[in-house]
């Protein structure tokens, strides 16, 4: 027998408030909530539909009014930010400049990496009728996001809790206690080492270097001017420094003007690092893009061979080195270096 919902308990519609808030924060949350809301409608008695519709209209209207007023307060003009969000991320597909993947990537790669060994009970849970709404929600969410050419593992995080619920239900279906114990042991043996490694060691260099710079700034007698010669947003920024010092990183703004053959600053730098440095950091600071020569240069070890002559010519010496990762990528390295101006 299909369960139907009524409005005897007001909590049956209070979830709409959380839906409204989540969609205000990020409009794509509507993709996640739509199948679940549809499920609610399908299991609600027809005589309660008018009241349910009224709840949707009420919460939706209040949410939209709050959004419009907040946008006007901060932007000082009438705009509709969800429209700009969709225009930027979906219509113009700006994210494609940060990498593209085939349409099936989430189904053939993403879900396997995010779920890892949880896929074993997850597959078992797919057979259960009671988790069907969760399965439909996950599938619809991934299917919609598959239309975007730019894909990332983190985009699957909203549906990960639902997938874990299905995995838990699947694990419960193993009637043999020994089988359940073996699967649970496999999950622990895989996830605990991975969590320790990724949480303590993997890519820790960009955090350690900020701790070093923070200490350097506290004890510095001269002006501190830090330049990060890394892929953009590789490190935290003022959230770890808390000092009024000059810091700059290589930028990677999207091609808002849709210029042909567009290259961001990071691409230009890595195409010819020495030329970029010579043009932007000069002995004569009046003709430099910096108010003074940077006191600290932060970079990955993979870049060192390309700019070693510049560092030597401009009197920079290695003052800090820390481990970053065992799995360096194209523009990253195993270690993070900080070079300091000798007179600093």
């Amino acid at each position: 027998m299909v369960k139907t919902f009524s409005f005897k308990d007001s909590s049956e519609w209070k979830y709409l408030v959380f839906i409204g808030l989540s969609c205000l924060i990020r409009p794509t949350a509507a993709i996640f909530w739509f199948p679940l809301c549809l499920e609610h409608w399908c299991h609600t008695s027809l005589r309660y539909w008018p009241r349910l519709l009224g709840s949707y209209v009420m919460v939706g209207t209040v949410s939209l009014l709050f959004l419009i007023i907040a946008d006007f307060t901060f932007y000082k003009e009438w705009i509709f930010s969800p429209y700009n969000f969709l225009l930027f991320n979906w219509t113009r597909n700006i994210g494609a400049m940060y990498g593209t993947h085939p349409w099936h990537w989430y189904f053939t790669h993403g879900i396997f990496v995010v779920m890892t060994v949880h896929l074993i009970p997850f597959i078992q849970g797919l057979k259960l009728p009671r988790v069907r709404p969760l399965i439909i929600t996950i599938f619809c969410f991934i299917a919609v996001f598959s239309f975007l050419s730019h894909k990332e593992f983190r985009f699957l995080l909203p549906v990960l809790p639902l997938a874990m619920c299905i995995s838990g239900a699947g694990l419960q279906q193993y009637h043999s206690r020994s089988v359940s114990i073996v699967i649970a042991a496999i999950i622990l043996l895989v996830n605990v080492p991975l969590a320790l490694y990724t949480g303590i060691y993997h890519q820790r260099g960009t955090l350690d270097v900020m701790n070093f710079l923070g200490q350097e700034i506290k004890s510095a007698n001269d002006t501190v001017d830090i330049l990060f010669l890394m892929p953009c947003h590789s490190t935290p920024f003022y959230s770890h420094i808390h000092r009024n010092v000059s810091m700059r990183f290589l930028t990677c703004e999207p091609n808002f003007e849709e210029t042909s053959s567009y290259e961001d600053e990071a691409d230009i730098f890595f195409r010819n690092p020495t030329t970029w440095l010579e043009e932007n950091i000069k002995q004569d600071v009046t003709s430099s893009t910096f108010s003074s020569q940077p006191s600290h240069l932060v970079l990955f070890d993979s870049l060192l061979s390309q700019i070693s002559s510049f560092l030597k010519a401009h009197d920079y010496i290695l003052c800090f080195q820390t481990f970053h990762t065992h799995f360096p990528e194209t523009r990253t390295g195993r270690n993070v270096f900080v070079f300091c101006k000798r007179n600093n």
Side-chain angles (χ1 to χ4, degrees):
M1 180 176 179
V2 178
K3 180 183 177 181
T4 58
F5 298 102
S6 68
F7 279 81
K8 294 180 180 179
D9 183 359
S10 60
S11 64
E12 292 180 357
W13 61 267
K14 286 181 180 178
Y15 75 94
L16 293 174
V17 176
F18 296 98
I19 294 177
L21 287 174
S22 61
C23 292
L24 289 181
I25 295 171
R26 194 168 184 85
T28 51
I31 302 170
F32 175 90
W33 287 110
F34 179 78
L36 296 175
C37 290
L38 189 60
E39 178 74 11
H40 187 195
W41 278 89
C42 292
H43 288 81
T44 299
S45 176
L46 286 174
R47 62 176 177 155
Y48 290 111
W49 276 26
R51 295 181 64 179
L52 182 58
L53 178 61
S55 298
Y56 271 78
V57 172
M58 178 187 67
V59 174
T61 301
V62 172
S63 299
L64 285 174
L65 286 175
F66 177 81
L67 173 67
I68 293 171
I69 293 172
D71 284 341
F72 179 78
T73 301
F74 290 100
Y75 288 103
K76 307 302 180 185
E77 60 179 322
W78 295 108
I79 66 169
F80 189 57
S81 55
Y83 170 76
N84 291 336
F85 178 90
L86 294 173
L87 181 68
F88 180 87
N89 289 285
W90 294 75
T91 306
R92 297 175 63 180
N93 200 21
I94 296 295
M97 70 172 292
Y98 300 110
T100 60
H101 297 85
W103 67 268
H104 55 77
W105 186 83
Y106 284 129
F107 293 101
T108 57
H109 295 77
I111 194 68
F112 292 96
V113 173
V114 172
M115 293 289 294
T116 61
V117 291
H118 290 91
L119 274 172
I120 301 172
F122 177 81
I123 294 173
Q124 179 73 12
L126 293 177
K127 306 173 184 177
L128 302 175
R130 70 175 185 269
V131 300
R132 193 169 300 150
L134 304 185
I135 297 172
I136 293 173
T137 301
I138 293 172
F139 177 81
C140 290
F141 185 91
I142 296 177
V144 173
F145 271 75
S146 295
F147 284 99
L148 289 175
S149 57
H150 178 65
K151 300 174 177 64
E152 297 184 34
F153 293 117
R154 64 185 178 94
F155 293 163
L156 294 177
L157 293 181
V159 295
L160 186 59
L162 302 187
M164 292 297 105
C165 290
I166 297 174
S167 295
L171 188 61
Q172 192 180 31
Q173 296 305 300
Y174 292 102
H175 300 292
S176 171
R177 182 178 177 84
S178 58
V179 173
S180 298
I181 292 175
V182 169
I183 294 176
I186 292 173
I187 291 174
L188 286 174
L189 289 173
V190 171
N191 281 294
V192 171
L194 277 176
L196 291 174
Y197 176 74
T198 57
I200 298 175
Y201 298 104
H202 182 57
Q203 295 184 348
R204 64 172 295 164
T206 50
L207 294 175
D208 291 342
V209 75
M210 298 308 293
N211 294 330
F212 167 77
L213 292 173
Q215 295 299 319
E216 279 281 284
I217 293 168
K218 289 180 182 179
S219 59
N221 296 320
D222 299 323
T223 302
V224 175
D225 193 339
I226 305 170
L227 174 60
F228 295 86
L229 299 175
M230 296 170 152
C232 60
H233 310 299
S234 292
T235 67
F237 218 51
Y238 286 104
S239 62
H240 279 58
I241 296 298
H242 304 294
R243 291 290 189 278
N244 185 20
V245 297
S246 175
M247 296 197 299
R248 184 188 164 188
F249 61 87
L250 302 172
T251 59
C252 54
E253 289 96 347
N255 185 11
F256 292 111
E257 304 299 328
E258 299 183 356
T259 306
S260 59
S261 303
Y262 173 79
E263 282 186 302
D264 59 44
E265 185 179 41
D267 288 336
I268 295 173
F269 169 80
F270 283 105
R271 180 158 43 83
N272 198 326
T274 302
T275 300
W276 188 94
L277 289 169
E278 293 290 355
E279 292 177 352
N280 290 273
I281 303 177
K282 303 176 182 178
Q283 295 289 355
D284 179 12
V285 297
T286 59
S287 60
S288 171
T289 58
F290 298 92
S291 58
S292 62
Q293 286 201 344
S295 60
H296 297 75
L297 298 177
V298 185
L299 56 132
F300 288 112
D301 56 2
S302 57
L303 181 65
L304 182 59
S305 60
Q306 301 180 62
I307 65 170
S308 57
S309 58
F310 172 89
L311 297 173
K312 184 176 181 180
H314 289 257
D315 212 18
Y316 283 97
I317 59 173
L318 180 65
C319 56
F320 180 73
Q321 174 180 343
T322 185
F323 168 76
H324 181 62
T325 180
H326 292 107
F327 308 100
E329 297 178 355
T330 306
R331 293 179 178 179
T332 61
R334 292 181 178 272
N335 301 287
V336 176
F337 291 157
V338 179
F339 283 85
C340 303
K341 194 74 173 171
R342 191 182 295 273
N343 58 4
N344 286 81

